[in-house]
């Protein structure tokens, strides 16, 4: 089963209700009605002040491969309703079999810093197709954006240190592990221990050795000497199996033998105990023995907060091995991205804007064919404005805080800006030239450097201003009023 993970059609990687709705649209003659959906999240993860968009390249792969295989169709055809009869007519299976993706998709490139309520993806096309994409798109974007954000937070603390991702053994299943490695690399890690991720995504792979290696020999020194003999160009020795500082002394002995043979001791790894104290003492021992360039790797349940604390304590760690807390996004295991209908085309060819009401203002969706305009001045990015592309912006534009209409900002026509969503698919055809994983990774650091540092702090981060362009704000307000009159129980 596990070996088949990457060798199956993924068209059924969705919730049953997407298929029952698709069937309903088809039966009701609405399947081809043009619709627009936006994928966005409402709150940054980890109580942070920023999120990294990630997962678009996987979305692209997914859509390019999207077709129902004969096995998928046979399975769908076998599904039964509550009365024991078939759920779907054979005609629907024929429709699915012949279906070709026709959607237009615009999206914010991977590695971009994004904020609540901004559409990371906008999907426009036949409503049946848009609907089928909801669950897989959320699955791909939510998790990767979450992990890329966690990794970016760790990179902020690590500064120029090396970050190694060691999470596979603790990840949420095989795909959780492989996907997390990809997102962690984009978010700011330098390498992974996960070979499959390395092979699939061109991520550098790195590693040390486990306690079992040391324990399998009579003495620690013998284990270090043997490892160094057979893998002289990859020697980072785990020193804490018995007594960490004694382990460092043994590593130095092995290092001397390596030097005698023209190699060097790459590093030592500390995996338990007081990492601040042990790293400082290890550094002294290594430096005194002439191993100033030998790295000190630390691992053991690390996260950005412990790393920060270790730095404050003066720890001499320059390589960080991080697994569990990164790949499981331990303190917040999900990003709550959603996918909402924002417009549907009427028979007359006009957009009929749609909105979901909620008693919580944060949960009221925003209508419109949305684009995000990021304004900047000579110091960096200053504000993002969400607007409806059907309402072209001419001259000065004004944005309004969606949760406090008394707060607004205006931007002169000549204010520098970038529109974040770029065309990815036009009528189902890929028109985007995919950046490499390395380019997506570089984009994260470039983006973060252009934001005010307050959004990057962990405690009470600054809220970056994101508003609705005035016409969109007015349209949304009007629609809320109209719907509340039509559906008085929503009040
Ligand atoms: N100086 C330090 N300041 C803050 N946190 C530290 C410091 N040194 C280690 N830690 C963290 O404290 C936790 C220690 O966990 P724990 O006590 O379970 O490990 P341990 O007993 O040292 O090792 P083992 O994994 O063998 O149980 C880890 O998350 C580790 O990263
Ligand atoms: O702690 P993480 O951030 O997940 O990093 C990965 C951990 O995996 C390995 O040991 P493992 O946890 O398998 O055994 P150990 O706890 O006995 O070291 C390694 O030594 C790290 O401690
Ligand atoms: O290479 C390592 O040191 C490693 C790999 C996976 C998990 N823990 C450590």
């Amino acid at each position: 089963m596990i070996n088949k993970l990457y060798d199956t059609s993924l068209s059924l990687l969705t919730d049953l209700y997407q298929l029952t709705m698709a069937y309903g649209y088809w039966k009701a003659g609405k399947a081809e009605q043009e619709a627009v959906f936006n994928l966005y999240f409402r709150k940054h993860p980890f109580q942070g002040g920023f999120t990294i968009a990630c997962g678009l390249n996987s979305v692209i792969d997914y859509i390019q491969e999207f077709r129902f295989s004969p096995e998928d169709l046979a399975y769908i055809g076998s599904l039964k309703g509550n009365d024991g009869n078939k759920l779907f007519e054979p005609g629907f299976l024929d429709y699915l079999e012949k279906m070709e993706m026709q959607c237009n998709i615009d999206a914010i490139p991977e590695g971009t810093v994004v904020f609540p309520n901004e559409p990371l993806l906008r999907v426009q096309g036949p409503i049946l197709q848009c609907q089928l994409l909801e669950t897989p798109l959320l699955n791909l974007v939510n998790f990767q954006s979450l992990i890329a954000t966690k990794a970016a937070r760790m990179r902020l603390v690590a500064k120029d240190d090396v970050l190694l991702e060691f999470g596979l053994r603790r990840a949420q299943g095989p795909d959780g592990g492989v996907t997390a490695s990809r997102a962690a690399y984009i978010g700011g890690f330098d390498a992974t221990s996960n070979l499959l991720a390395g092979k699939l995504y061109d991520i550098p792979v790195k590693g040390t050795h486990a306690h079992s290696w040391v324990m399998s020999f009579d003495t620690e020194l013998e284990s270090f000497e043997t490892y160094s003999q057979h893998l002289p160009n990859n020697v980072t020795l785990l020193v804490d199996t018995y007594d960490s500082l004694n382990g460092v002394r043994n590593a130095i002995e092995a290092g001397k033998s390596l030097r005698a043979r023209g190699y060097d001791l790459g590093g030592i790894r500390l995996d338990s105990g007081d990492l601040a104290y042990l790293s400082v003492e290890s550094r002294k021992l290594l430096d005194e023995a002439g191993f100033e360039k030998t790295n000190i790797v630390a691992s053991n349940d690390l996260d950005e907060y412990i790393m920060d604390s270790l730095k404050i304590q003066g720890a001499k760690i320059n390589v960080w091995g991080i697994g569990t807390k990164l790949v499981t996004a331990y303190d917040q295991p999900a990003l709550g991205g959603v996918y909402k209908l924002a417009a549907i085309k009427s028979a007359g060819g006009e957009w009929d804007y749609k909105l979901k009401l909620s008693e919580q203002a944060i949960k009221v969706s925003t209508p419109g064919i949305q684009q995000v305009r990021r304004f900047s001045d000579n110091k960096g990015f200053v504000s993002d404005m969400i607007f409806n592309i059907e309402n072209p912006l001419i001259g000065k534009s004004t944005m309004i805080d969606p949760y406090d209409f008394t707060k607004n900002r205006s931007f002169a026509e000549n204010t520098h800006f970038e529109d974040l969503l770029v065309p990815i698919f036009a009528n189902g055809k890929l028109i985007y030239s995919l950046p490499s994983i390395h380019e997506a990774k570089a984009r994260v650091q470039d983006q973060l450097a252009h934001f005010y540092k307050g959004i990057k702090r962990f405690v009470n981060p600054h809220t970056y201003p994101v508003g609705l362009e005035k016409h969109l704000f007015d349209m949304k307000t009007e629609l809320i009023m109209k719907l509340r009159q039509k559906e008085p129980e929503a009040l």
Side-chain angles (χ1 to χ4, degrees):
M1 268 320 262
I2 284 175
N3 285 331
K4 295 212 166 131
L5 192 65
Y6 294 95
D7 187 23
T8 176
S9 141
L10 292 179
S11 313
L12 298 185
L13 186 72
T14 191
D15 299 304
L16 172 65
Y17 84 163
Q18 310 295 8
L19 210 60
T20 50
M21 282 188 279
Y23 182 68
Y25 291 134
W26 179 72
K27 286 294 283 181
K30 281 163 64 91
E32 312 287 328
Q33 193 173 5
E34 195 169 349
V36 174
F37 285 75
N38 294 312
L39 188 157
Y40 61 97
F41 61 90
R42 300 184 178 112
K43 205 167 168 293
H44 290 302
F46 318 117
Q47 299 179 0
F50 70 90
T51 299
I52 303 296
C54 193
L56 176 60
N57 283 22
S58 309
V59 165
I60 292 172
D61 278 356
Y62 180 81
I63 291 177
Q64 285 195 296
E65 298 285 313
F66 189 93
R67 64 191 53 84
F68 289 95
S69 68
E71 295 79 25
D72 295 338
L73 293 165
Y75 175 70
I76 296 170
S78 74
L79 296 174
K80 299 206 167 62
N82 297 335
D83 61 358
N85 291 322
K86 291 235 152 107
L87 206 46
F88 305 117
E89 287 175 10
F92 180 58
L93 304 183
D94 293 343
Y95 182 86
L96 293 182
E97 187 183 5
K98 296 194 186 83
M99 192 177 82
E100 300 229 336
M101 220 5 107
Q102 282 165 265
C103 292
N104 294 335
I105 298 186
D106 289 60
I108 298 183
E110 286 195 304
T112 307
V113 171
V114 287
F115 297 92
N117 302 317
E118 297 181 345
L120 308 193
L121 276 101
R122 187 179 76 228
V123 182
Q124 175 171 348
I127 192 163
L128 181 150
Q129 297 191 2
C130 297
Q131 189 73 63
L132 285 176
L133 293 177
E134 170 172 352
T135 305
L137 263 46
L138 287 170
N139 175 280
L140 293 168
V141 171
N142 273 328
F143 182 61
Q144 292 196 50
S145 299
L146 182 76
I147 302 301
T149 306
K150 190 72 172 164
R153 290 164 64 84
M154 292 172 172
R155 169 53 67 200
L156 284 172
V157 180
K159 298 204 167 70
D160 293 332
D161 294 347
V162 174
L163 287 174
L164 307 178
E165 180 266 306
F166 285 169
L168 183 57
R169 66 192 56 204
R170 301 278 153 60
Q172 325 294 39
D175 182 64
V178 174
T179 307
S181 299
R182 175 179 195 276
Y185 181 67
I186 290 177
F189 272 58
D190 294 290
T192 178
S193 62
N194 179 342
L195 286 174
L196 182 55
K199 182 185 104 171
L200 290 174
Y201 296 125
D202 188 26
I203 305 172
V205 290
K206 283 212 162 26
T208 71
H209 66 77
H211 296 110
S212 53
W213 174 263
V214 180
M215 290 150 70
S216 73
F217 291 84
D218 287 341
T219 66
E220 186 181 59
L221 182 59
E222 188 192 349
S223 82
F224 287 175
E225 293 281 13
T226 311
Y227 194 87
S228 308
Q229 193 184 340
H230 297 300
L231 291 126
N233 54 4
N234 186 51
V235 183
T236 295
L237 300 169
L238 176 59
V239 294
D240 77 325
T241 307
Y242 306 118
D243 170 332
S244 297
L245 295 181
N246 200 43
V248 178
R249 290 184 193 98
N250 282 332
I252 289 169
E253 287 313 304
K256 288 179 184 159
S257 317
L258 273 164
R259 281 193 174 165
R261 288 184 287 123
Y263 296 97
D264 208 347
L265 176 61
I268 58 128
R269 175 160 74 99
L270 298 166
D271 190 43
S272 57
D274 183 330
L275 296 173
Y277 168 76
L278 290 173
S279 63
V280 170
E281 294 306 310
S282 301
R283 185 77 273 158
K284 278 190 208 153
L285 291 174
L286 288 166
D287 289 355
E288 278 161 18
F291 288 91
E292 292 91 349
K293 292 210 173 111
T294 295
N295 292 317
I296 298 186
V297 186
S299 52
N300 189 18
D301 265 334
L302 295 169
D303 64 14
E304 65 270 45
Y305 306 107
I306 297 177
M307 291 167 72
D308 205 19
S309 165
L310 287 167
K311 291 243 178 204
I312 290 166
Q313 294 169 59
K316 294 285 182 199
I317 297 160
N318 68 327
V319 182
W320 306 80
I322 309 180
T324 314
K325 302 248 163 99
L326 167 64
V327 303
T328 66
Y330 204 75
D331 48 340
Q332 187 186 324
L335 177 69
V338 294
Y339 183 83
K340 297 289 169 201
L341 180 68
I344 193 155
K345 217 166 233 175
S346 66
E350 297 287 302
W351 283 116
D352 189 4
Y353 293 114
K354 296 289 178 183
L355 169 151
K356 189 210 165 286
L357 282 180
S358 168
E359 286 183 22
Q360 289 168 263
I362 196 176
K363 287 201 163 183
V364 176
S365 64
T366 301
I369 326 295
Q370 296 168 26
Q371 172 62 282
V372 182
R373 183 157 292 188
R374 178 160 291 170
F375 292 102
S376 47
D377 63 17
N378 54 7
K379 291 205 231 51
F381 301 133
V382 291
S383 299
D384 288 3
M385 180 178 76
I386 303 170
F387 65 100
N388 180 9
I389 57 174
E390 294 291 300
N391 229 325
L393 303 177
I394 300 156
K396 182 182 90 164
S397 45
T398 301
M399 73 174 212
I400 300 180
D401 182 333
Y403 307 118
D404 180 356
F405 67 89
T406 61
K407 288 193 196 153
N408 58 60
R409 287 180 184 213
S410 290
F411 299 95
E413 194 175 7
N414 62 357
T415 311
H416 190 266
F417 70 81
E418 183 192 355
D419 285 345
L420 298 186
L421 286 107
V422 298
I424 309 292
F425 286 96
N427 200 21
K429 299 280 165 299
L430 184 66
I431 52 169
Y432 176 63
S433 110
L434 265 78
S436 72
I437 191 169
H438 314 292
E439 287 166 321
K441 177 188 179 65
R443 183 170 174 85
V444 173
Q445 299 311 318
D446 179 64
Q447 285 264 306
L448 282 170
H450 285 86
F451 281 96
Y452 167 61
K453 63 179 185 325
I455 71 154
K456 296 174 242 180
R457 66 175 177 249
F458 296 159
V459 182
N460 298 325
H462 170 71
T463 303
Y464 177 80
V466 178
L468 297 185
E469 189 274 330
K470 189 172 180 319
H471 293 90
L472 179 57
F473 180 86
D474 291 344
M475 189 252 273
K476 179 173 178 176
T477 311
E478 225 172 88
L479 205 49
I480 294 175
M481 306 286 276
K482 213 161 87 189
L483 286 169
R484 291 217 155 126
Q485 275 156 19
K486 214 164 103 185
E487 315 269 354
E489 70 275 15
L491 280 169

